[in-house]
Amino acid sequence: MNKRDSIKNIIDSRLSNLKLNDEFESKVLSKANKPKTIKKPLAIAVAVCLFIMLTIPVMATAIPSFTALVSLLSSEVALMLQPIESVSEDNGIKMEVVAAMNDDETAVAYVTMQDLTGDRVDQTISLDIFSITGASMFTNEVIAYDEKTKTATIRLLANGGRKLNGKKVALRVNSFLSGQHKYNEVETGVDLTGIHKNVETIPLDMNNIPGGGGMLFETLKSKSTIQILKTDKMDITLPGIDFVHISNIGFVDGLLHVQLKWSETSINDHGYVYLTDASGNIIYPSNVSFGTDESGNTKFGNQYEEDIFDINSGQLGEFKLKGYFVTYSGYIQGNWETTFRIEAVAKSKQADCNIDLGNLKINSVSISPLGVSILGDNKGNRPDDIDISVIMADGSVQEFNSTTTYTDRGNFTRKYMPNSPLAIENVKEVIINGVIVKFN
Amino acid sequence: MISISVPNENTALNISSLISEYGDSLFRMCFLYLKDIHLAEDAVQDTFLKVYKSYPQFKGNSEVKTWIMRIAINVCKNYLRSTWWKHVDVAESLNDIPADAGIEGITDNTLVLEIMKLSPKYKEVILLFYYQEMTIKEISLALNIPDSTVSIRLKRARERLKLNLEGWYYDE
């Protein structure tokens, strides 16, 4: 076999599960035979937009799911919503994208999941593999659950998009979890004073791990390779928990490492250990996830999590090691997908600027009901010392409850999202590190 | 000399046989190119849609396969251009696709990952040459670049793979 055959065989073997499904041809043909959309003059398009905007309340009353959703939300949010009502059904479960709202970087979709045949959807549902095309960072939270209809209403937030407004997007869900059970303040029973300082370690390639987090993570990541505890040197079971155990503990390079091993049947179970003292002070860990091969060498995977604490060994006597873990009894897979166009109900406003923050040059600020975005060019490390204030016309300062940062090939976007839609007509100015960007 | 086949314009396109012959390999190629299973699926669908719609204009200046690959590569390039592009962890992306346990001999992702990590201009020549088994001439037609450019890119792509696959890679 020559190299050509070999490479082809390796790709085909590794990707053998990538196959077009039986419906592929009919999808192509149905798209090909769709009547062409006739481009209407701009004036007509504007009139249509106005018509849609003005008739949303009428449409809303005609769409029960939309009406039901509106009843769950504040009037400020409801006013921003675009009714979608797009349904996909698979595996006895119906997904409906009820409504959405968006600006250029962010889309919020309200989705219902209903089990038509059983009890697989509950109030603890968490979407597992899901996406909205054109965006990159996703979170989801259940905002309501109707036991009678076994329907969960989920708010899906997608960030990191570019020029999303007006785009046709696909919302896909391929799996979700349900039957969540949380284990709080799990006593590990570990005597921290007896922890070894001379332990066997193995290298971990920080560029080949699925993820990690915490205050130490960036420092660890910058080292490319770090030492972690050799796996499976201990087997400390946790009371009432069979999906995870402590597989090693020790000091590595002056940091306390606690290694957790998830059971092989564990899907998306998660959690961490933490340190707590008599006063109730808690020290949370940084963490890295990894797997191992048959020889015990690390490789890409999720079977282990190493929780790492920056704590002096002399202080350990004051602390107890406790755990917080979450498990799910249901893991449901399917293919739920709908396509729809997202159109912002309210326009964004943008102001150009030229603010030099060293590694970051901010060149524009945009405001929309979903929040304030600062856009610029980022060279080097992400800046974390941006001080932003949004001043309203009445002199009040707008507060934000979440921030998302996204860097793509040097293009920097940071979005500040408020608790409720921002009244952009009342935004007077945005002050970034002392520089005023006027809006009104 | 280029092998040229001229389709009979009176014959309706048999999209079914084209999907059956090239569909899965296009899907895999698009995945390696775009590093995203959903985008790859969309790209293959767009490719066959374009094949279906533009077949009447297909002049037969190349083999059908070369023509389809040209469309597919252009669709993938457009996806890269028209969408914002995120940093993709290729290992994570590949990890989403379960390996078939029944197939022997594939114990790691090394080669596939290294191909995914190549820049598009090197990746496309590697995929067309090694995976789609096209000649230099066919690749030059598919990518609309001179033969010599294909050869240089192929050489450089091989060198990169060789460097990253030390101990794994071998020369012909």
Side-chain angles (χ1 to χ4, degrees), chain A residues 1-21 24-25 27-29 31-34 36 129 131-136 138 160-162 164 167 170 172 174 207-211 300-302 337 406-409, chain B residues 15-16 19 23-25 27-28 31-32 37-39 41-42 44-46 48-49 52-53 82-87 89 91-92 94-95 97-100 103 106 108-109 111-113 115 127-135 158 168-172:
Chain A
M1 187 166 65
N2 66 27
K3 184 164 66 183
R4 222 180 202 192
D5 292 336
S6 170
I7 291 178
K8 183 171 171 54
N9 285 341
I10 287 170
I11 292 173
D12 276 334
S13 301
R14 177 60 187 86
L15 302 181
S16 58
N17 283 313
L18 272 193
K19 287 178 183 164
L20 297 175
N21 59 35
F24 181 80
E25 184 182 338
K27 271 189 193 171
V28 171
L29 292 175
K31 275 196 173 181
N33 296 320
K34 256 190 188 170
K36 282 185 181 171
I129 298 175
S131 64
I132 292 181
T133 51
S136 62
F138 307 99
R162 281 274 169 84
L164 278 176
K167 270 190 185 161
R172 297 189 182 95
N174 292 110
N207 294 313
N208 192 30
I209 58 169
F300 189 93
N302 280 308
E337 175 179 344
Y406 176 69
T407 311
D408 166 32
R409 296 182 180 182
Chain B
I15 192 79
S16 183
I19 289 172
D24 288 345
S25 76
F27 191 11
R28 290 164 197 171
F31 169 73
L32 295 174
I37 189 169
H38 298 302
L39 282 179
E41 202 172 350
D42 290 349
V44 184
Q45 201 174 102
D46 279 0
F48 280 109
L49 199 58
Y52 185 83
K53 285 186 168 176
S82 65
T83 59
W84 52 270
W85 202 239
K86 58 181 178 180
H87 169 73
D89 186 327
E92 193 172 356
L94 185 59
N95 210 38
I97 300 168
D100 194 333
I103 294 173
I106 306 305
D108 67 34
N109 296 328
L111 174 74
V112 175
L113 283 175
I115 291 175
L127 288 173
L128 293 177
F129 186 79
Y130 287 108
Y131 187 57
Q132 298 295 352
E133 301 184 306
M134 291 165 67
T135 63
R158 281 190 192 119
W168 190 97
Y169 188 90
Y170 61 94
D171 280 323
E172 280 175 320

Side-chain angles (χ1 to χ4, degrees), chain A residues 114-138:
Chain A
Q114 180 181 21
D115 192 345
L116 304 172
T117 60
D119 294 312
R120 294 166 295 175
V121 172
D122 65 10
Q123 65 271 30
T124 68
I125 184 172
S126 175
L127 302 184
D128 178 36
I129 298 175
F130 65 101
S131 64
I132 292 181
T133 51
S136 62
M137 291 173 285
F138 307 99

Side-chain angles (χ1 to χ4, degrees), chain B residues 7-42:
Chain B
N8 181 349
E9 289 186 5
N10 296 322
T11 307
L13 172 70
N14 188 346
I15 192 79
S16 183
S17 69
L18 291 181
I19 289 172
S20 158
E21 188 165 355
Y22 302 115
D24 288 345
S25 76
L26 272 180
F27 191 11
R28 290 164 197 171
M29 184 175 84
C30 291
F31 169 73
L32 295 174
Y33 200 104
L34 296 166
K35 300 180 276 192
D36 180 299
I37 189 169
H38 298 302
L39 282 179
E41 202 172 350
D42 290 349

